[in-house]
């Protein structure tokens, strides 16, 4: 793993906007001089390195599925802060094996030691357009003879083909509270992927979903039989229609609440203590750790976190943490030219599907980070 520089393409903003990254100007704080999409730098990997990482990602996914089963069979829902009244629906979804689509692991990796799991974004992972489309065309334009760890698009199409869904269109939902346009474009891309798989897609905002006493309906009064949403489950269950979630098929399914929660890190450590790809993690206590990062069970974009080491205390602002906190062993992100990358490793179904890399000069990857592409020299 190396960080290298390259000359950005002439007119790169217009190129990536035409390819779907229309939100690269609006998803980034305005006061930053570095763009969100930064193709002046990139990372290179060796093919054997990528193959090892693929195996690690798929092993982590299997471990997470074991952890979900462990939580269900042992009733350890307190690890996730899940209210008791939601447990029957979660367990019903798990026991039915409701089909799932994708997720993204965030990994600490420096090219030398084993990758370490930071968290699993299993319900509403973003940076999909950048990872799947934008960096692929960057590689094709500048390094056409090289390869890239990126089969996201093809695997998503194949997965949509294989999902056992009910007849009729699939509704694709985002929230109208999305000000940057990132959620809208992510949903639009996923809808296009599903349509390439032969599924008819209908776009809708979460605010336009209604319940008529028997079925979910869109704003055209059409029944919603299957819904893919970029809207977290902990928000869905709090909606007025949350009591009727069993009346439609959801992608991602409700059992993903077992994985889209940093309490999963505690369950993994209980099941696989000392595993080379895990960091120690405890619920609501640092235990005997001297260096740790406190993370809210349900948090986003690096908000409401605190790093504590013998020589440092650093906290980020935020409103998360009402459900509780996980205390995870702190290992500083690797340093490449003063930047600290996080590997976002995608899983589609049960298989590794590629990566996206975000990096920042800070200690925590947040909304100030930039997305940078990668390639595999051949």
């Amino acid at each position: 793993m190396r960080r290298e520089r390259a000359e950005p393409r002439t007119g790169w903003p217009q190129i990536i906007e035409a390819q779907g990254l229309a939100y690269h100007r609006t998803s980034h704080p305005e006061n930053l001089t570095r763009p969100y999409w930064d193709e002046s730098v990139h990372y290179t990997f060796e093919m054997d390195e990528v193959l090892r990482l693929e195996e690690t990602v798929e092993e982590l996914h299997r471990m997470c599925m074991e952890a979900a089963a462990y939580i269900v069979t042992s009733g350890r829902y307190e690890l996730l802060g899940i209210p008791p009244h939601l447990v029957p629906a979660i367990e019903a979804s798990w026991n039915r094996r409701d089909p799932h689509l994708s997720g993204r692991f965030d990994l600490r990796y420096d090219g030398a030691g084993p990758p370490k799991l930071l968290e699993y974004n299993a319900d509403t992972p973003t940076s999909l357009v950048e990872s799947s489309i934008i960096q692929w065309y960057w590689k094709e334009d500048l390094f056409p003879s090289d390869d890239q760890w990126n089969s996201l698009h093809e695997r998503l199409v194949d997965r949509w083909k294989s999902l056992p869904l009910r007849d009729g269109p699939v509704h694709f939902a985002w929230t109208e509270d999305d000000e940057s346009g990132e959620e809208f474009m992510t949903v639009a891309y996923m809808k296009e992927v599903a349509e390439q798989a032969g599924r008819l897609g209908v776009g809708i905002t979460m605010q336009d979903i209604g319940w008529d006493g028997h079925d979910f309906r869109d704003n055209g009064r059409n029944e919603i039989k299957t819904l893919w949403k970029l809207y977290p489950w902990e928000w869905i269950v709090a909606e007025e229609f949350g009591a009727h979630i069993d009346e439609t098929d959801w992608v991602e399914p409700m059992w993903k609440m077992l994985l889209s929660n940093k309490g999963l890190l505690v369950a993994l450590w209980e099941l696989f203590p000392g595993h080379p790809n895990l960091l120690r993690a405890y619920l609501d206590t640092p235990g005997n750790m001297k260096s740790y990062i406190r993370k809210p069970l349900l948090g986003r974009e690096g908000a409401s976190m605190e790093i504590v080491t013998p020589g440092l205390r650093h906290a980020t602002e935020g409103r998360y943490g009402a459900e509780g906190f996980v205390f995870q062993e702190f290992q500083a992100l690797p340093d490449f030219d003063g930047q600290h990358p996080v590997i976002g490793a995608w899983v589609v179904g049960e298989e590794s599907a590629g990566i996206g890399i975000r990096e920042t000069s800070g200690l925590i990857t947040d909304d100030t980070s930039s997305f940078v592409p990668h390639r595999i020299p051949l």
Side-chain angles (χ1 to χ4, degrees):
M1 179 181 177
R2 301 181 304 277
R3 188 177 190 265
E4 300 187 1
R5 296 190 174 275
E7 189 67 28
R9 294 166 293 178
T10 301
W12 65 265
Q14 292 73 35
I15 293 172
I16 65 173
E17 288 166 13
Q19 293 167 349
L21 197 61
Y23 51 86
H24 73 102
R25 303 176 192 270
T26 55
S27 63
H28 216 39
E30 294 181 355
N31 61 323
L32 299 181
T33 57
R34 187 183 185 190
Y36 171 66
W37 166 266
D38 188 355
E39 61 181 64
S40 69
V41 295
H42 63 273
Y43 285 84
T44 62
F45 297 82
E46 300 298 327
M47 182 60 76
D48 60 347
E49 180 181 27
V50 168
L51 295 176
R52 291 194 302 271
L53 285 167
E54 282 187 323
E55 292 178 357
T56 296
V57 170
E58 292 182 3
E59 180 181 7
L60 284 170
H61 177 69
R62 289 191 295 269
M63 291 162 58
C64 288
M65 297 298 281
E66 287 188 43
Y70 165 69
I71 293 167
V72 171
T73 57
S74 65
R76 297 292 307 283
Y77 295 99
E78 76 277 4
L79 293 178
L80 311 176
I82 290 178
H85 72 275
L86 297 178
V87 169
I90 293 172
E91 292 187 349
S93 175
W94 173 257
N95 292 329
R96 288 192 305 263
R97 295 297 189 267
D98 290 345
H100 64 106
L101 185 66
S102 62
R104 193 194 76 228
F105 290 103
D106 284 350
L107 305 175
R108 180 201 183 278
Y109 180 64
D110 60 8
K116 300 287 187 178
L117 175 62
L118 301 175
E119 59 185 76
Y120 188 19
N121 302 281
D123 182 24
T124 57
T126 53
S127 75
L128 178 61
V129 177
E130 308 83 302
S131 299
S132 179
I133 298 296
I134 308 303
Q135 67 171 343
W136 176 259
Y137 283 113
W138 164 86
K139 182 203 77 72
E140 289 292 276
D141 285 345
L142 296 183
F143 304 96
S145 61
D146 287 352
D147 203 350
Q148 191 174 84
W149 183 6
N150 186 1
S151 59
L152 251 175
H153 187 86
E154 296 81 3
R155 290 187 186 274
L156 285 169
V157 171
D158 289 343
R159 186 66 175 173
W160 274 109
K161 288 180 180 178
S162 69
L163 290 179
L165 305 179
R166 289 190 279 176
D167 292 338
V170 178
H171 284 72
F172 291 83
W174 70 98
T175 173
E176 63 186 21
D177 295 330
D178 170 33
E179 297 180 353
S180 70
E182 178 180 9
E183 292 186 13
F184 173 79
M185 292 305 301
T186 302
V187 171
Y189 171 65
M190 188 63 83
K191 175 175 173 288
E192 178 183 343
V193 169
E195 288 174 342
Q196 290 184 23
R199 309 281 190 180
L200 177 63
V202 177
I204 187 175
T205 68
M206 291 298 299
Q207 288 78 6
D208 285 334
I209 295 175
W211 172 253
D212 67 0
H214 186 266
D215 298 308
F216 283 99
R217 301 281 176 177
D218 62 20
N219 52 355
R221 303 296 299 164
N222 302 299
E223 181 182 356
I224 300 174
K225 297 181 179 180
T226 302
L227 182 68
W228 182 92
K229 80 285 179 299
L230 199 63
Y231 197 75
W233 265 108
E234 63 267 22
W235 296 356
I236 288 174
V237 296
E239 294 282 355
E240 290 184 12
F241 57 69
H244 310 289
I245 53 178
D246 284 339
E247 302 303 323
T248 194
D249 292 340
W250 300 83
V251 185
E252 302 291 338
M254 191 176 183
W255 63 258
K256 277 292 187 85
M257 289 187 77
L258 302 171
L259 303 184
S260 57
N261 182 307
K262 294 178 184 65
L264 170 70
L265 302 170
V266 180
L268 286 168
W269 189 253
E270 289 185 2
L271 282 175
F272 309 100
H275 191 283
N277 302 121
L278 298 179
L279 297 166
R280 283 184 292 166
Y282 306 105
L283 182 67
D284 289 331
T285 177
N288 62 358
M289 293 188 295
K290 302 301 182 185
S291 296
Y292 58 86
I293 179 168
R294 190 187 71 163
K295 299 180 176 181
L297 291 178
L298 300 171
R300 284 173 171 75
E301 294 287 354
S304 305
M305 293 189 179
E306 184 180 27
I307 295 171
V308 175
T309 73
L312 171 71
R313 185 179 289 267
H314 172 76
T316 60
E317 296 182 355
R319 52 184 175 81
Y320 301 106
E323 298 81 7
F325 291 87
V326 164
F327 290 74
Q328 185 184 44
E329 176 187 353
F330 176 69
Q331 288 189 13
L333 295 175
D335 189 311
F336 288 80
D337 304 326
Q339 295 293 319
H340 309 294
V342 166
I343 307 293
W346 288 86
V347 170
V348 175
E350 319 304 325
E351 299 179 320
S352 171
I355 62 169
I357 302 173
R358 291 172 299 155
E359 62 174 20
T360 177
S361 60
L363 297 172
I364 295 174
T365 305
D366 56 18
D367 62 355
T368 67
S369 63
S370 293
F371 189 102
V372 298
H374 76 279
R375 63 186 175 98
I376 305 170
L378 296 179

